[in-house]
Amino acid sequence: MLLDELKKMLISEGASDVGFSSINKYLPDELKIFKTCVTVVVRLSDAIVNQIIDSPTFTYYHHYKAINNLIDLLTLKGVLFLESKGYYAYSIAASQSVHGKDNGFSGVLSHKIGAVLSGMGFIGKSNLFIHERFGPRVRLGTILTTYEPENGISNNVIEPKCGDCNLCIVSCPAQAIHGNTWYLGIDRNEMIDPHACSSYMKEKFKFIGRGQVCGICMRVCPYGSEVKR
Ligand code: SF4
Ligand code: SF4
C-alpha cells in the first residue's frame, strides 16, 4: 500500500516513526482539499536533552535546529514521493510561526493534531506530544495529501496518561503551564500561556539562539527519560 511504501522510505531516510490520520475535518478552510495527514517523528538525543537542567544548552539549540532541518528534508521527500504517485501534497515546516496568526505563536497547522490522531502517543499537561516510546523528546513534521486509502484511516486518540504527575508544571520557570488535562478540541490557551513561555525564553535565554528554545518541560517529563549509555 502507498502509505506503507512512504513510511518505509521515510524511516530509511532517518525518521524515528511515522503515523497516519484522517485529518480533513480538523483543517482550516484553506487546507480543506487535503484528506490524509502524515506525521513524521524524529527523536532527540537523550545525551543532549539530559544536559538541560535549568536552562537550555548551546548543544541543544544546535541539535534542535539540525533535527528541524532533517524533518523539513523528510517532509519534502514525502511530498515529492506523493506527487510522483499523482497526488497533491503539502508540507508544513517543522518550526515556523505565521505572522499575524494567534499573535505569531502558531504555525499553519499544529503538528500535534496529526500526531495525536494517529495514535502514536498522547498530549501531556505540558501540551507537548508524548510519543509512546520517546516521550516528549521528539520533533514533529507534517505532510498533508489528497491521497486517501480505499478503506480510510481510523483515528486513534489516546487519552492523556499524566496521572498525578506535575513535574513539568512545577519545573516551568515561566509558570506557563496551567496543569489542565488535554482533550480533543481544547483551546491551547487553556493548556499553556504561550506568551509567558516565549517572553521568558527571549528574556532569560537570549544568549542561546536568541531565546528560541528552552526544553525544561520536555527534559523533566518521566516519559521517554530512560537514560541510555
Ligand atoms: S519551554 Fe520552558 S518556559 Fe516554555 S513551557 Fe516549557 S518549561 Fe516553561
Ligand atoms: S511531566 Fe508529568 S505532567 Fe508533565 S507531561 Fe510529563 S507526565 Fe504529564
Side-chain angles (χ1 to χ4, degrees):
M1 163 186 160
L2 187 139
L3 293 181
D4 290 335
E5 208 186 319
L6 173 61
K7 179 169 180 172
K8 206 169 151 199
M9 182 275 284
L10 291 170
I11 299 263
S12 75
E13 295 284 343
S16 308
D17 200 2
V18 177
F20 305 107
S21 54
S22 178
I23 200 154
N24 185 262
K25 74 173 183 181
Y26 304 98
L27 293 176
D29 286 347
E30 65 272 20
L31 298 175
K32 280 283 185 207
I33 183 178
F34 299 108
K35 309 285 184 223
T36 298
C37 177
V38 181
T39 300
V40 178
V41 178
V42 177
R43 64 175 303 189
L44 292 156
S45 154
D46 280 327
I48 292 173
V49 170
N50 287 338
Q51 288 184 331
I52 299 171
I53 304 296
D54 52 7
S55 154
T57 63
F58 288 101
T59 312
Y60 171 62
Y61 175 61
H62 183 78
H63 185 55
Y64 168 94
K65 283 199 307 178
I67 296 237
N68 284 347
N69 289 339
L70 172 60
I71 289 174
D72 286 343
L73 188 60
L74 289 168
T75 54
L76 171 62
K77 288 188 178 198
V79 165
L80 295 173
F81 172 89
L82 288 158
E83 286 181 345
S84 76
K85 303 289 181 186
Y87 299 97
Y88 248 24
Y90 181 95
S91 59
I92 295 175
S95 180
Q96 183 189 56
S97 299
V98 178
H99 182 70
K101 190 177 173 195
D102 194 17
N103 295 320
F105 292 124
S106 292
V108 173
L109 178 76
S110 166
H111 297 292
K112 277 179 274 195
I113 182 68
V116 78
L117 292 173
S118 76
M120 288 189 289
F122 63 91
I123 294 181
K125 291 177 192 170
S126 57
N127 203 40
L128 294 174
F129 176 69
I130 316 278
H131 185 271
E132 57 187 356
R133 280 183 285 150
F134 312 126
R137 296 167 174 224
V138 292
R139 301 284 308 152
L140 303 171
T142 299
I143 305 167
L144 301 175
T145 175
T146 49
Y147 172 76
E148 223 180 356
E150 227 168 80
N151 299 326
I153 296 174
S154 303
N155 292 335
N156 174 27
V157 176
I158 298 173
E159 294 305 316
K161 295 180 184 173
C162 292
D164 294 334
C165 179
N166 63 1
L167 278 174
C168 56
I169 301 159
V170 297
S171 305
C172 172
Q175 281 113 44
I177 302 173
H178 300 318
N180 291 325
T181 297
W182 179 90
Y183 58 85
L184 193 58
I186 192 171
D187 188 306
R188 195 253 312 258
N189 294 322
E190 285 186 41
M191 298 293 295
I192 57 160
D193 180 343
H195 179 70
C197 168
S198 175
S199 305
Y200 189 90
M201 290 194 294
K202 284 199 175 82
E203 189 191 338
K204 305 289 182 186
F205 305 142
K206 63 183 169 212
F207 54 94
I208 301 175
R210 293 197 213 116
Q212 287 177 56
V213 293
C214 166
I216 294 170
C217 50
M218 169 194 57
R219 159 73 168 97
V220 299
C221 183
Y223 283 100
S225 64
E226 176 197 342
V227 178
K228 294 174 187 61
R229 299 189 189 280

